[in-house]
Amino acid sequence: MTKVKSTTVLAVIHNGEVAIGADGQATMGNYVAKSNVKKIRKLQEGKIVTGFAGSTADAFTLLERFDEKLNAYGGNMKRAAIELAKDWRMDRYLRKLEAMLITADKDELLVISGTGDVLEPDNQIAAIGSGSMYAQSAALALKKHAPGLSAEEMVRESLNIAADICIYTNHNLVIEKIK
């Protein structure tokens, strides 16, 4: 059975604003299974936003676990991410999940992977998924050469550039902000 996969999530912190966005495409093998998947979720009454790439069912499992960890650790995003990564690496069932998460609050971005990594990306830009390097490159350029743009505008433009290049990324964008 071919797994449904979802791609290209980008988060940017710029001038005190946090924005995270994703395209809407889910692929199954080599065809588009759905074009309007919502890969961005708000948690903790909107104080934390997450985005996922990878197998959709696996990502939802991880999002549920991450939300449980947030509740267990009083909304402390970094602690919840570290505890999720530890479980993900140690638990036999979780270890088989194929997804990655970006989490963001008003102060920081984290990338959580199934290998036990919790990364704080450089330049306050995080990207995951098949179009991630296109989106990240565009965001880096915009941050450097168009600092007057908002974080939301940077995310939108960068994801659109990724969608123009990556066949697994489309222009059906969902973007959320934290101020």
Side-chain angles (χ1 to χ4, degrees):
M1 172 121 181
T2 304
K3 286 189 178 187
V4 174
K5 295 204 172 190
S6 306
T7 56
T8 315
V9 179
L10 175 70
V12 173
I13 296 177
H14 183 67
N15 293 336
E17 181 184 62
V18 179
I20 184 170
D23 75 303
Q25 186 165 302
T27 59
M28 201 168 194
N30 59 359
Y31 72 92
V32 176
K34 189 169 169 87
S35 64
N36 61 350
V37 177
K38 188 175 183 229
K39 303 171 198 173
I40 305 298
R41 298 285 187 271
K42 286 186 172 185
L43 304 173
Q44 298 288 301
E45 298 175 4
K47 294 177 186 157
I48 294 175
V49 289
T50 63
F52 65 85
S55 173
T56 305
D58 292 354
F60 282 121
T61 299
L62 293 169
L63 284 171
E64 286 174 15
R65 294 283 182 111
F66 182 61
D67 196 31
E68 289 170 9
K69 296 292 184 189
L70 283 168
N71 290 328
Y73 294 104
N76 183 326
M77 185 178 78
K78 189 177 283 185
R79 177 78 189 274
I82 290 167
E83 295 301 322
L84 175 64
K86 287 195 306 196
D87 286 356
W88 197 347
R89 196 173 165 104
M90 304 290 276
D91 185 281
R92 223 176 255 208
Y93 168 74
L94 289 178
R95 217 176 317 155
K96 295 178 183 186
L97 299 181
E98 297 177 14
M100 290 183 76
L101 301 176
I102 292 176
T103 65
D105 64 16
K106 65 181 181 57
D107 299 313
E108 64 186 338
L109 302 173
L110 299 173
V111 176
I112 310 169
S113 79
T115 57
D117 296 319
V118 177
L119 305 170
E120 293 181 70
D122 294 334
N123 305 307
Q124 297 186 309
I125 297 170
I128 56 175
S130 62
S132 63
M133 291 301 100
Y134 307 118
Q136 184 173 345
S137 297
L140 285 165
L142 290 172
K143 216 170 193 200
K144 182 175 181 179
H145 299 290
L149 294 177
S150 69
E152 180 180 13
E153 290 167 324
M154 288 180 183
V155 167
R156 184 175 313 286
E157 290 306 312
S158 298
L159 286 171
N160 278 320
I161 288 168
D164 289 342
I165 299 168
C166 178
I167 62 170
Y168 297 107
T169 304
N170 70 17
H171 290 276
N172 294 339
L173 307 180
V174 172
I175 299 172
E176 294 286 353
K177 296 184 308 183
I178 299 176
K179 290 185 181 183

